[in-house]
Amino acid sequence: MPLTPAALRALAHRTLTRQPSVQVALNDMGFLQADPIRAPARAQDLTLMQRVRGYRAGDLERLYPTLDAEEDMLPNYGFVPRRVQALLHPREVGQTRIEREHPDLLDEVRALLREVDEVHPREVAARLGRGRVANAWGGQSAATTRALDALHHRGEARVTRRASGVRLYGPAPHLAALRERPLPVEDRVRGAVHLLAALYAPLPEASLGYLVSLSGFGLPHLRGELRTAFRRAVREELHGETVDGLRYVWPADWDVSTPPAPRGVRIVGPFDPLVWDRRRFAHLHGWTYRLEAYTPAEKRQFGYYALPIFQAERAVGWANLRAGGGELRADVNFAPGVRETAALRRGLETELERYRRFLGLEA
């Protein structure tokens, strides 16, 4: 029987399977996108809240030193288990701006990292100096912090933990071992493509192609090989079907004949795999959702950090949530044509109560 948009919506909810721990959830996902904005919590916490029973905001940061987890880059910046990080390294990176402007600084930071197990960027700045430089977000960072970032991206340092959100760094001997004996290139690029297909599926083939293109940030010297692996995957390895003129793909081992039957109300973050692909969102739900954190306030339609609301498998609206004064404030809006029924109101209140526990705002 041909797939319908309703079946695709239900299949997409496979990503929200509840897991018993942060480690199991991270292993299942393979990649967890991070974002520093807190509205009402960071993106990584919002994503884990929907997948880990009893998860509280900040649990990932607290548990990170004990987890099989690393901060790294795949299609975006985030968290990966080490088996996934092994696909990304050794990473060949061209000369960065910090190296051009401060040619000796990386060697000095390398030498410092050999002396310590862990170091705060503030300590590196105090010991090595070098002033401030522009960062990727248009602000200013210490040159030494940019050098630490560059070494982390090269795989010569790792994030050991965070202190009040600030990354602390240390040596990365496991990545040095990968430089000596890397995985075969074909295994690396195929693994990356199949990870993305499983995490975001079912998704339009064009959207998977976009994710693969973004993964050039994580595998900058293997962009051509990634494209080849993507073409082979959609042609020979993934399953797919055209729905309303749009070709969708998903892993070959999925049973799409019995999609799940989602129930209740969920409020998910803007980087959650359930809503990350805006092309799929518009096709399956009939309205366009946007993240407007970087849109001027007077031009916003949804609000600063709108979180999509789902009732069963359908996206029915969005909420802007703010925590302050021990309370959770919710500005809730519904998509055109959605009627606020008693069941929807009850489901919303249940979900908002779950958010209060997640944020530590219980009465």
Side-chain angles (χ1 to χ4, degrees):
M1 180 180 296
L3 283 177
T4 63
L8 289 171
R9 287 196 297 269
L11 284 166
H13 276 255
R14 289 176 59 132
T15 186
L16 292 183
T17 300
R18 291 284 173 85
Q19 304 291 359
S21 70
V22 172
Q23 186 67 68
V24 174
L26 184 61
N27 291 345
D28 182 66
M29 296 176 70
F31 170 74
L32 170 65
Q33 185 167 340
D35 188 80
I37 295 175
R38 285 198 224 195
R42 294 189 178 101
Q44 54 269 35
D45 287 322
L46 293 171
T47 299
L48 288 173
M49 176 239 190
Q50 295 294 347
R51 289 164 177 81
V52 180
R53 299 183 189 281
Y55 186 86
R56 297 293 190 105
D59 278 355
L60 176 62
E61 185 173 307
R62 178 177 59 82
L63 294 171
Y64 176 84
T66 70
L67 297 173
D68 170 16
E70 298 288 338
E71 295 195 26
D72 214 317
M73 173 77 73
L74 188 53
N76 298 287
Y77 192 85
F79 299 83
V80 296
R82 285 193 174 184
R83 65 173 174 80
V84 173
Q85 195 181 38
L87 305 176
L88 307 175
H89 295 272
R91 179 182 285 145
E92 297 178 20
V93 182
Q95 190 181 54
T96 61
R97 177 179 173 182
I98 193 68
E99 292 171 271
R100 292 193 301 271
E101 296 181 356
H102 301 277
D104 301 324
L105 183 56
L106 260 65
D107 283 339
E108 295 178 29
V109 176
R110 286 186 183 102
L112 177 57
L113 285 171
R114 287 194 291 268
E115 300 173 7
V116 298
D117 293 326
E118 179 180 87
V119 68
H120 193 292
R122 200 165 45 231
E123 180 184 349
V124 181
R127 292 179 62 171
L128 301 181
R130 290 297 199 287
R132 306 185 74 79
V133 295
N135 61 36
W137 300 274
Q140 294 285 312
S141 298
T144 47
T145 300
R146 300 287 288 146
L148 284 166
D149 290 344
L151 291 176
H152 177 219
H153 190 58
R154 288 176 178 275
E156 297 181 55
R158 66 177 294 265
V159 176
T160 57
R161 62 187 175 95
R162 289 184 180 233
S164 301
V166 177
R167 291 186 290 247
L168 277 61
Y169 294 87
H174 69 291
L175 296 180
L178 276 176
R179 284 195 291 277
E180 296 296 323
R181 298 185 63 183
L183 296 176
V185 167
E186 184 175 348
D187 292 351
R188 294 170 65 187
V189 294
R190 184 179 184 276
V193 171
H194 280 261
L195 184 158
L196 296 170
L199 178 59
Y200 295 99
L203 79 167
E205 181 179 314
S207 299
L208 179 58
Y210 177 55
L211 280 162
V212 169
S213 295
L214 286 178
S215 296
F217 293 117
L219 292 157
H221 64 296
L222 297 177
R223 293 175 187 269
E225 290 85 348
L226 274 170
R227 296 300 301 176
T228 299
F230 162 69
R231 288 192 292 269
R232 182 183 302 116
V234 297
R235 187 175 62 245
E236 303 172 6
E237 299 167 350
L238 301 173
H239 284 183
E241 189 171 317
T242 299
V243 180
D244 295 343
L246 197 60
R247 179 168 173 76
Y248 278 78
V249 294
W250 56 85
D253 60 354
W254 278 26
D255 179 6
V256 300
S257 64
T258 55
R263 300 175 63 187
V265 171
R266 299 280 194 103
I267 302 175
V268 304
F271 300 108
D272 193 289
L274 183 62
V275 299
W276 187 93
D277 181 20
R278 308 302 195 247
R279 178 189 284 109
R280 182 180 78 176
F281 189 101
H283 173 229
L284 296 185
H285 300 287
W287 55 282
T288 299
Y289 160 70
R290 287 187 295 272
L291 172 65
E292 298 177 328
Y294 304 104
T295 300
E298 67 275 9
K299 296 183 179 180
R300 290 176 188 153
Q301 175 185 350
F302 297 93
Y304 174 68
Y305 205 75
L307 312 182
I309 301 171
F310 286 79
Q311 183 180 32
E313 88 287 352
R314 186 179 287 276
V316 297
W318 64 95
N320 285 273
L321 305 182
R322 290 188 300 126
E327 296 181 352
L328 179 66
R329 296 176 176 83
D331 177 18
V332 174
N333 298 270
F334 297 107
V338 172
R339 189 165 61 91
E340 186 182 1
T341 63
L344 177 52
R345 284 195 297 272
R346 287 194 302 270
L348 269 172
E349 187 47 49
T350 298
E351 180 72 345
L352 290 172
E353 184 57 35
R354 202 160 66 89
Y355 264 84
R356 292 184 187 100
R357 292 194 297 272
F358 161 66
L359 296 167
L361 302 177
E362 308 101 315

